[in-house]
Amino acid sequence: MRLYPLIFLSLLLSCSSVKKTDAQAGSQLLKDVEVLSSDAYEGRKTGTKGGEKARVYIASRFKEIGLKTLPTFSGYEMPFTYTGKKGTAIEGKNMLAYVEGKSKNIIVISAHYDHIGIINNEIYNGADDNASGIATLLKLASHYTKNKPDHTLIFAAFDAEEAGLQGAKAFIKNPPVQLENIKLNINMDMVSHNDKGELYACGTFKYPQLKPSVFSKNSKVKIILGHDDPKLGSNDWTNQSDHSAFNDKDIPFIYFGVEDHKDYHKATDEFKNINPAFFTNASEAILEITQRLDHQLYLKSVINEKKTIN
């Protein structure tokens, strides 16, 4: 008879532990956005002290999570140079890390950390654009350091997206790994601010083989496929964020983002104006879909290898 109370107590403690872990993960997700979009980071414009401060924070989180540095680098930074509007050379720095998987095939999970800085003495903090993407990237990285993926995962926090996708282009131009080994790019740019609970997943128009994996069981967020048909003109998001550089090399991509809102590229894109509940659910859905894509693409590669051998 004493066994039942003990079992009941054990279950309560177990449930309490799970809830606590989930709460901590959600708290960290929001904390990462709040920190990166605070005034201290001065809008994280490429080549500024605010941008450097953002890199220090990202590096500290990479290290805390337990991410490895790529063999071709001594640290997490990948410096690159591009020409600015006035013809001056500007140095940017991507932040790269990885988790080794069962396969040498690679999925690049990306988000840009830069924003547009200070304009007319106003700080443009870029909470949704794109501290939210970086926070989600860190959430995914934390998950995969504890749960071995099928693919090797490169986590890429790109710089200079706002200057014309310069960080992603530099990554593709001078890749730290063989491009043919990159089987997918999952890119996140603005995933925390939507009043209707809608998160778009762009990319299945050109890469329909990905479509069966792009859905969520979370009823609190609506995953909508679209914004990827060239006939849509300016509503085609295929070239509007860092995934474009991968697509240019015919590397399949899924881009997660929300439609433009009233705070887009305004000083009001602040932490207090994101939708915390939506953001938490959206990040969970992105993780769920990433897990499914990782596993399904891996299974297909294994099947194809067996067919080749036979």
Side-chain angles (χ1 to χ4, degrees), residues 13-247:
L13 291 172
S14 176
C15 291
S16 174
S17 176
V18 170
K19 288 179 181 178
K20 185 177 180 182
T21 302
D22 290 344
Q24 287 173 337
S27 176
Q28 185 63 59
L29 180 80
L30 295 175
K31 179 185 176 182
D32 287 332
V33 175
E34 186 174 20
V35 170
L36 286 168
S37 63
S38 65
D39 285 351
Y41 288 76
E42 300 179 343
R44 308 185 307 278
K45 187 173 182 178
T46 302
T48 67
K49 291 181 179 179
E52 174 60 29
K53 193 167 186 177
R55 282 193 293 279
V56 171
Y57 182 80
I58 292 168
S60 69
R61 290 285 290 119
F62 277 4
K63 187 175 181 180
E64 179 185 3
I65 289 167
L67 292 177
K68 297 179 181 179
T69 60
L70 290 168
T72 47
F73 298 105
S74 58
Y76 294 123
E77 293 185 358
M78 174 192 174
F80 63 92
T81 304
Y82 67 97
T83 303
K85 291 181 179 179
K86 297 181 181 179
T88 56
I90 299 175
E91 184 181 52
K93 291 180 180 178
N94 294 329
M95 301 294 289
L96 307 177
Y98 83 104
V99 172
E100 188 174 0
K102 299 174 186 176
S103 168
K104 292 183 179 179
N105 288 335
I106 294 164
I107 294 176
V108 176
I109 298 175
S110 63
H112 73 91
Y113 69 87
D114 66 296
H115 194 54
I116 56 178
I118 300 173
I119 302 174
N120 296 325
N121 295 318
E122 270 195 297
I123 300 175
Y124 285 60
N125 285 312
D128 190 37
D129 186 14
N130 185 34
S132 68
I134 291 296
T136 306
L137 180 147
L138 294 170
K139 175 187 175 72
L140 268 60
S142 181
H143 170 82
Y144 281 111
T145 53
K146 302 177 185 72
N147 302 275
K148 191 179 183 71
D150 290 317
H151 289 74
T152 291
L153 305 180
I154 292 178
F155 293 91
F158 287 132
D159 196 2
E161 188 272 351
E162 301 288 0
L165 321 181
Q166 298 298 334
K169 289 177 179 177
F171 179 93
I172 292 296
K173 186 177 180 181
N174 296 293
V177 294
Q178 295 294 319
L179 283 182
E180 57 265 29
N181 289 339
I182 301 177
K183 304 304 178 182
L184 178 67
N185 169 229
I186 296 174
N187 186 45
M188 299 161 292
D189 192 350
M190 297 172 56
V191 293
S192 67
H193 189 158
N194 185 272
D195 296 328
K196 297 182 289 185
E198 296 176 347
L199 180 68
Y200 275 87
C202 165
T204 61
F205 182 87
K206 183 175 178 180
Y207 305 103
Q209 70 272 24
L210 303 177
K211 191 173 181 178
S213 297
V214 186
F215 67 92
S216 176
K217 296 177 182 178
N218 186 345
S219 60
K220 295 179 181 179
V221 61
K222 302 172 188 174
I223 302 296
I224 303 176
L225 305 182
H227 284 301
D228 50 10
D229 184 343
K231 294 177 182 177
L232 295 173
S234 61
N235 280 324
D236 176 14
W237 296 351
T238 302
N239 298 314
Q240 293 189 13
S241 188
D242 292 316
H243 54 276
S244 174
F246 293 85
N247 179 58

